[in-house]
Amino acid sequence: MSSYCLTGPKGPKLVVLSAPSGGGKSTLANLLLHRHGDKLKHSVSYTTRAPRGAEQQGEHYFFVTDDEFKAMIKNGQFLEYAQVFGRSWYGTSREQVEGLLNKGLSVIFDIDVQGADSLKGLYGDRCVTIFILPPSLEALEKRLRDRNTESEEAIKNRLKAARAEMGRAPGFDHQVVNQTLEASVAELERILSAAGVL
Ligand code: ADP
Ligand code: 5GP
């Protein structure tokens, strides 16, 4: 069977969650994966940044060197890649995503607005883009600080970037204000059911 049948309008989808750093996209993606792991799989990105906290190689990211990342670009191994916060590089593996779609599984992405634009451009209606908004910039700052994973300088950079990123929310297919996790997961499940993912 050709992969075309499996990835047509009724086939598996690409679900992109974007949010400013600290907006809650990884927490929400994990909750969806926990509840719907039979239909949805996570795209594990490659990055040149160092692991933080308890992050594991191959689980949260594939951590690679600048040279390894450049070689992957050269070999056409990324569906999309971008430099985020003007520092580290992040990329989505073509082989991983196409492998999952060809098995009939939908793929969930926790990527930035540049990545969302690229995947929408490549996959059109098969790509469902969702922007997660914090209830306010104050709430975002508190969540980012309470997460306790960033230096003061990184927090300042991420808050500065957040203002610009949030301006991009209207261009996404859906917007979800992440008040409580329970309400946000219910809203995401409603969107994904309507899109034929769940
Ligand atoms: P992102 O992946 O977008 O950077 P995270 O999922 O790491 O964001 O969330 C940032 C922090 O905010 C985490 O410590 C997470 O537990 C917390 N958080 C996420 N959503 C909520 C929510 N609805 N209410 C309270 N805290 C939240
Ligand atoms: P973090 O360093 O906090 O894990 O991620 C920083 C930013 O990079 C987040 O906005 C995250 O969504 C984004 N990101 C992670 N992986 C990818 C990817 O493969 N491509 C793109 N474009 N962005 C990514």
Side-chain angles (χ1 to χ4, degrees):
M1 196 192 301
S2 81
S3 61
Y4 182 75
C5 302
L6 288 167
T7 53
K10 290 212 168 102
K13 300 280 191 307
L14 297 93
V15 178
V16 176
L17 296 188
S18 283
S21 185
K25 58 195 173 305
S26 25
T27 306
L28 291 168
N30 285 334
L31 287 168
L32 287 172
L33 286 162
H34 186 68
R35 293 167 68 132
H36 305 286
D38 54 331
K39 298 192 180 87
L40 264 183
K41 299 287 169 196
H42 184 221
S43 163
V44 181
S45 295
Y46 285 75
T47 184
T48 60
R49 83 151 163 77
R52 86 188 162 213
E55 287 180 334
Q56 296 292 322
Q57 176 75 303
E59 192 185 322
H60 299 88
Y61 283 106
F62 291 103
F63 298 98
V64 293
T65 63
D66 283 352
D67 285 346
E68 286 168 329
F69 198 92
K70 278 185 201 147
M72 290 185 73
I73 296 174
K74 205 168 150 215
N75 296 332
Q77 287 172 265
F78 292 127
L79 273 180
E80 65 76 36
Y81 62 90
Q83 192 178 25
V84 184
F85 309 127
R87 209 164 32 100
S88 307
W89 290 85
Y90 297 81
T92 300
S93 159
R94 182 186 300 278
E95 188 183 2
Q96 194 189 126
V97 172
E98 291 186 347
L100 290 168
L101 293 174
N102 286 335
K103 278 193 210 151
L105 293 161
S106 289
V107 187
I108 190 160
F109 299 82
D110 161 354
I111 60 179
D112 83 330
V113 291
Q114 306 171 77
D117 283 348
S118 302
L119 293 187
K120 191 73 179 175
L122 285 172
Y123 291 91
D125 288 347
R126 280 162 46 208
C127 179
V128 182
T129 58
I130 305 169
F131 199 93
I132 310 293
L133 288 151
S136 64
L137 279 170
E138 291 71 30
L140 179 69
E141 181 166 358
K142 180 169 184 336
R143 288 179 188 175
L144 212 43
R145 286 190 190 286
D146 289 351
R147 191 171 69 181
N148 220 3
T149 51
E150 246 75 34
S151 67
E152 187 57 32
E153 191 200 348
I155 289 178
K156 289 217 169 86
N157 275 339
R158 285 171 184 233
L159 286 171
K160 205 166 130 199
R163 290 169 208 276
E165 283 167 344
M166 282 162 65
R168 299 286 313 280
F172 280 63
D173 297 327
H174 304 275
Q175 297 78 27
V176 172
V177 179
N178 183 15
Q179 298 275 7
T180 68
L181 288 174
E182 200 184 16
S184 300
V185 170
E187 176 70 359
L188 288 168
E189 286 176 332
R190 194 192 58 72
I191 291 168
L192 297 185
S193 296
V197 175
L198 301 182

